[in-house]
Amino acid sequence: DKGVGLYLRYSQTNLTNIMNSGIKEDEVVESKQNVQQAEENAGVRISRAEQKRREEQRRSAVTVCSKLAKIFNTAVTHLRHHLPMVAFSLGDADGDAALVQLVHVEVEKRAVEIIREYLGTNQLGSFHSKASAVADMIEERYLSGEVLDEGIYGEEGGFLGISGGTSVTDKNAAIEMMDDCGFKAELGTFLHINARLDEIALLMQHTESYERFIRHAVDEVNKARDLRRKQKQGERRKKWLAELENEGKDATMEEAEKFDKQENEAQTLQRVQNVLPSQTQLNELIAEVGGYLSGTERAFLLGNLQRAFYNISIPDEYSFTPITILRGNRSPNAAGCFALQSTLVEECLYAAQQSTLRAFATGHSGTASAAANLCSDILGRVLLESMSQRAEAGSSLLRPGDGLLSGQGGLGQAAFSVMSTAQKGLTNATKGRRTGTGGDGSEEERAALQKQIDQGIARSCASLNDLEVAVDYTRRLEEKLIQEMESSFPPGKKTDQLRHCIRSLSSVMESYQMSSKEAAEHLIAMVIPRVRSIVNECVGQETSTGASFMTGGTTVASTVKMNYHLDDSGYEMAQISEGYMTRQCQLLDELFEPLRLHLAPTLSDAALLGIVGGASKRLEAAIKRNQFTALGALALDSDIRYFVNFVKDRVAAEALTSSTTLYKACNPLARLTQVTHLMNVDDLEDVLDLISASKRQNMWDLSLNDAKAFLNLRVDFESRKVNELLQMSD
């Protein structure tokens, strides 16, 4: 014990001298730098040699991180040099544990003082409170839908970026003038906040590195303790056995167990205290700093999201790029070949990734867990809500007749707004054009107008595509964070908790998928009135002008009508003439083609199935108002097959090219094919076999009442026999 005391006093003196000298050197350098900075601010002229010398000194400026690094490095160097010797020579007197305790006390005393001084000088507590208030305001703004009420996403043209070009300078000036919820006034510029966060993260990283080292040293000391105890226990056991052997006795099993039990009880009574407590003063202070980092990081991330929202509200040619989540080697005319995505998702997810990785870089599991939860919360609420609002606004601009897609009366109001804006530019461009070149530029103008409309459709669709892109980007972010966690954090309970926090991003992905599905449903709701109008027009339930088509031997001047009451000549004429189904598919294709080209494949398929479902329901209702002959039933089968092939040619997912999968995905179309099969039975006796076989395959959705209603449309089937055949109820 006396030797341990002497060595500890020597170590304390040595360690204190080195640390104090380092602190004094830092104070001198820092004081000199402050004087130089004051001279520069006052405009004092200095020589070039002095400027160069000061520039070199600036590279190694004294900061809180450099101060802590010197202290921690001194402690680590001292322990690495002295601990093995002390453990070997003074280990029996727990000199190694005492040395670790001494070093940590000296380090903690100085590190806590430096960190508290830094917190007070930079007023991190006050700054954190301001950051939390600003973050709450930004969050409330975007969660309450206030952005739509204030028109932050702009008018129709501004939202879509089709109302004229915007220079980068004008755009940046406009963004600077927007209300940022006091972000810049209260917290400062993004560069300033980012630098402050980097400094805090580096401070925590240095401290966490020291914490891991000192805990590792404690573990090694404890292992050495256990090893020494086991050695002493073995020596006592050998001595006891030797004494018994000298007495001419053999140790029985019961005596050996009794001896081991007494040894264990003695070790329990003499158990040494922990080298270091589980929670030190330095740990508590770093946890406080981690709270400041997390709170400020939240405001910084929300500020970045707010800037991204403003940036996309004044779109230019850099605001939209080809969608990045599609597979390579796609055909030029494949679904989504012209699909765009906005920069909103990429900017927001990048900001979230950088903020979270900065917290991970600290090595502090509590701060990393808080950052992961913060990332999931902001992406899953603020960004999701804003993107959902944009998707709804974008799909509303695609409403046929009122928006960018053509309706029954032609182009809608949004399209005319685009045309009028583009026309002004085209007129000014053609005023000075020389004549005699073979045209007045009308074809060029029409092509330019159509290009503007296509651009508006593409950018409207981009607001829906962003949700699909967000799903993919969030999945990548989760994988990145898991990879970073596995490489930076040691296995343990805290790391498992961090993993659970990262896994919360999976629920964010599910939220994006659900929102994407809702956006597709909203888009379908926008186009479904036009779909119904198309079907009604083609089957003859709405009067409209058009070319003359022949169906069933009858010439219809206004439009092709649905007619399945066909004789032989009518059936032959229907086979060689263009029927209503051809006309219907042409009109549906005109409606769907812009969406197919500009929506992501998943959304394109969802829109197609919604359109086909609406058309199928309307066709089923129209079929119920017709009479059928046997030849008419064959004509119906031909028309429905044509319709199904039309759908298969336009789906993006390969699985939907299978009839079974397609029918499961679109129930109204499945019902339509079941009606066709039912109407084409040769004999009523085959009906029950058809229904039973289809039900066994889970491919029958018609009720018996539906079956009766459709079979009664066959003029060659007696209603009495149909009703008798299907007497049983569902």
Side-chain angles (χ1 to χ4, degrees), residues 61-190:
V62 176
T63 63
V64 61
C65 297
S66 65
K67 293 178 182 178
L68 290 175
K70 282 189 176 182
I71 293 174
F72 294 149
N73 289 337
T74 301
V76 170
T77 303
H78 189 85
L79 278 178
R80 282 179 174 173
H81 180 71
H82 293 271
L83 187 59
M85 295 186 297
V86 174
F88 179 78
S89 57
L90 301 174
D92 291 339
D94 284 334
D96 49 358
L99 178 62
V100 171
Q101 290 173 337
L102 170 68
V103 170
H104 180 71
V105 167
E106 294 296 329
V107 168
E108 186 176 57
K109 178 173 61 176
R110 290 166 175 80
V112 167
E113 181 182 352
I114 291 172
I115 295 174
R116 289 202 181 281
E117 181 184 357
Y118 173 77
L119 296 181
T121 303
N122 291 273
Q123 299 180 341
L124 282 193
S126 174
F127 189 82
H128 173 262
S129 300
K130 293 179 182 179
S132 298
V134 171
D136 290 340
M137 291 174 63
I138 296 175
E139 191 172 286
E140 176 64 24
R141 182 182 209 174
Y142 287 94
L143 290 178
S144 64
E146 184 181 340
V147 288
L148 288 181
D149 298 336
E150 294 180 353
I152 289 178
Y153 289 146
E155 302 292 336
E156 290 180 355
F159 173 71
L160 298 173
I162 54 180
S163 61
T166 303
S167 68
V168 176
T169 304
D170 293 341
K171 179 176 179 176
N172 291 337
I175 291 176
E176 290 297 329
M177 292 176 62
M178 289 181 173
D179 178 19
D180 62 355
C181 298
F183 184 91
K184 189 174 181 180
E186 294 291 334
L187 306 180
T189 63
F190 283 95

Side-chain angles (χ1 to χ4, degrees), residues 648 655-666 670 697-699:
K648 289 182 178 179
L656 292 177
T657 57
S658 165
S659 297
T660 303
T661 309
L662 179 61
Y663 294 153
K664 287 182 179 179
C666 186
Q697 299 175 3
N698 292 323
M699 295 182 63

Side-chain angles (χ1 to χ4, degrees), residues 502-531:
I502 297 173
R503 291 299 184 192
S504 62
L505 285 171
S506 297
S507 61
V508 176
M509 283 189 286
E510 293 174 0
S511 299
Y512 284 136
Q513 290 171 338
M514 183 64 67
S515 183
S516 178
K517 183 179 178 181
E518 292 173 355
E521 291 173 353
H522 186 265
L523 175 61
I524 293 169
M526 294 294 103
V527 301
I528 208 67
R530 175 57 183 154
V531 173

Side-chain angles (χ1 to χ4, degrees), residues 128 131-132 135 197 200 204 287-301 359 364 366-372 374 378:
H128 173 262
S132 298
L197 289 170
I200 297 174
M204 295 185 66
E288 180 183 347
V289 175
Y292 293 148
L293 176 68
S294 299
T296 308
E297 201 72 76
R298 172 173 173 254
F300 185 69
L301 178 53
H364 191 265
T367 302
S369 297
L374 180 69
I378 292 178

Side-chain angles (χ1 to χ4, degrees), residues 548-565:
S548 181
F549 298 93
M550 190 75 71
T551 303
T554 305
T555 301
V556 183
S558 60
T559 185
V560 180
K561 292 184 179 180
M562 177 186 285
N563 180 16
Y564 292 113
H565 194 279

Side-chain angles (χ1 to χ4, degrees), residues 38 225 407 604:
R225 277 177 167 180
S604 172

